[in-house]
Amino acid sequence: MISSRLRFISSLISPVEVIADIGSDHGYIPADLLKNDIAKKIIATDISAPSVQKAIDLMEKLNLSEKSDFRVGNGLEVLNVDEADTVIIAGMGGKLICEILQNGYKNKFKEKIPTFVLQPVQQVGDLRYFLIKNDFDILDEHIFVDQGKVYQVMISRKINSEKTHSLYKIDLNNQVQIKYGTINIKKKSQILISQLEREYDKLNALIEKLELNNIEKELIESKKIYLYQLEKVRYEISKS
């Protein structure tokens, strides 16, 4: 059965011809997309042959094999040039997603500019920073909860020319913006508000503990800078 996390990711994807799911594992997202006519063809990939076999078995069970292609390999390397309209990379670390984009994008997308649906399970800020520094526009962001854990999704596309500029505004010196994203902050969701409150309280308590134990001042100051940024974002969200 598809999890709430995977179903949420699937719900964000617009209808296109071909969707590639990188690191597809059991193939739950591809199956959900095909059942709902979001794509005419799905490419389910994974570095693990047993995982790809699970996706094959699922598609055969659901009579969706004719619209599916299965490939074993690393990242974007298994795709043909300009093959996919939308690429999903979900359920892995943000740094690994950065590596996949860094190593594969230029070789696999020459004319087509695909939409990327990215859902890191950790290192979200690393991924967001990478996208901005490498000329990927962030079109939308979402924050959601599944089984008590907070996740984020970013919808992104490569900026295709020097004349095109990103509409995504972010201060790369602001670690809170990098961690949570300015679109998420503007949306002012209760999930984000609660997350910021928990992080603020936890960090405030940590700083007090560090000061009591005479921990090096540089570490304390760096924590205080982040605390101030947290406080500022919380205030901005609280304004109606």
Side-chain angles (χ1 to χ4, degrees), residues 113 135 158-166:
I113 304 173
D135 298 322
K158 187 79 168 176
I159 298 171
N160 64 349
S161 73
E162 294 180 0
K163 295 180 181 179
T164 305
H165 301 284
S166 173

Side-chain angles (χ1 to χ4, degrees), residues 94-161:
K95 289 184 178 179
L96 179 55
I97 297 175
C98 294
E99 290 178 14
I100 289 171
L101 295 174
Q102 184 73 53
N103 295 335
Y105 187 92
K106 288 183 179 179
N107 294 328
K108 295 302 178 179
F109 297 100
K110 303 294 186 181
E111 296 182 6
K112 185 175 286 186
I113 304 173
T115 298
F116 284 90
V117 180
L118 308 172
Q119 190 272 299
V121 293
Q122 57 192 7
Q123 301 154 342
V124 182
D126 292 290
L127 176 57
R128 186 173 281 110
Y129 187 87
F130 170 87
L131 293 173
I132 299 302
K133 296 295 285 185
N134 288 273
D135 298 322
F136 283 87
D137 199 5
I138 299 176
L139 308 175
D140 202 0
E141 296 172 329
H142 301 269
I143 187 166
F144 66 102
V145 176
D146 181 32
Q147 296 184 348
K149 186 169 182 179
V150 177
Y151 296 100
Q152 293 185 50
V153 182
M154 286 170 262
I155 313 297
S156 181
R157 296 185 83 203
K158 187 79 168 176
I159 298 171
N160 64 349
S161 73

Side-chain angles (χ1 to χ4, degrees), residues 52-222:
V52 171
Q53 186 59 52
K54 292 175 185 177
I56 292 171
D57 294 342
L58 177 63
M59 294 302 191
E60 288 179 350
K61 181 180 179 181
L62 298 174
N63 297 315
L64 295 171
S65 297
E66 290 184 2
K67 297 181 179 180
S68 307
D69 197 357
F70 307 95
R71 301 175 194 175
V72 178
N74 187 27
L76 302 177
E77 294 174 7
V78 295
L79 300 181
N80 298 322
V81 173
D82 292 330
E83 184 176 20
D85 302 295
T86 297
V87 179
I88 304 163
I89 311 179
M92 57 186 80
K95 289 184 178 179
L96 179 55
I97 297 175
C98 294
E99 290 178 14
I100 289 171
L101 295 174
Q102 184 73 53
N103 295 335
Y105 187 92
K106 288 183 179 179
N107 294 328
K108 295 302 178 179
F109 297 100
K110 303 294 186 181
E111 296 182 6
K112 185 175 286 186
I113 304 173
T115 298
F116 284 90
V117 180
L118 308 172
Q119 190 272 299
V121 293
Q122 57 192 7
Q123 301 154 342
V124 182
D126 292 290
L127 176 57
R128 186 173 281 110
Y129 187 87
F130 170 87
L131 293 173
I132 299 302
K133 296 295 285 185
N134 288 273
D135 298 322
F136 283 87
D137 199 5
I138 299 176
L139 308 175
D140 202 0
E141 296 172 329
H142 301 269
I143 187 166
F144 66 102
V145 176
D146 181 32
Q147 296 184 348
K149 186 169 182 179
V150 177
Y151 296 100
Q152 293 185 50
V153 182
M154 286 170 262
I155 313 297
S156 181
R157 296 185 83 203
K158 187 79 168 176
I159 298 171
N160 64 349
S161 73
E162 294 180 0
K163 295 180 181 179
T164 305
H165 301 284
S166 173
L167 297 176
Y168 188 81
K169 304 301 180 184
I170 188 170
D171 178 0
L172 291 178
N173 293 313
N174 189 314
Q175 293 301 311
V176 178
Q177 289 187 12
I178 292 172
K179 184 173 183 179
Y180 293 107
T182 54
I183 294 177
N184 276 330
I185 291 170
K186 287 178 182 177
K187 288 180 178 179
K188 301 181 180 181
S189 74
Q190 188 56 52
I191 293 171
L192 179 59
I193 292 170
S194 298
Q195 180 73 5
L196 292 173
E197 288 176 352
R198 284 193 296 270
E199 189 172 11
Y200 182 87
D201 291 342
K202 185 176 180 180
L203 183 57
N204 207 20
L206 175 61
I207 290 171
E208 290 180 3
K209 185 176 180 181
L210 292 174
E211 289 178 329
L212 284 172
N213 288 280
N214 294 316
I215 303 298
E216 56 186 82
K217 290 184 178 180
E218 286 186 6
L219 176 61
I220 294 173
E221 286 306 310
S222 68

Side-chain angles (χ1 to χ4, degrees), residues 38-49:
I38 302 300
K40 292 184 178 180
K41 177 185 175 182
I42 285 284
I43 304 167
T45 85
D46 204 283
I47 198 169
S48 162

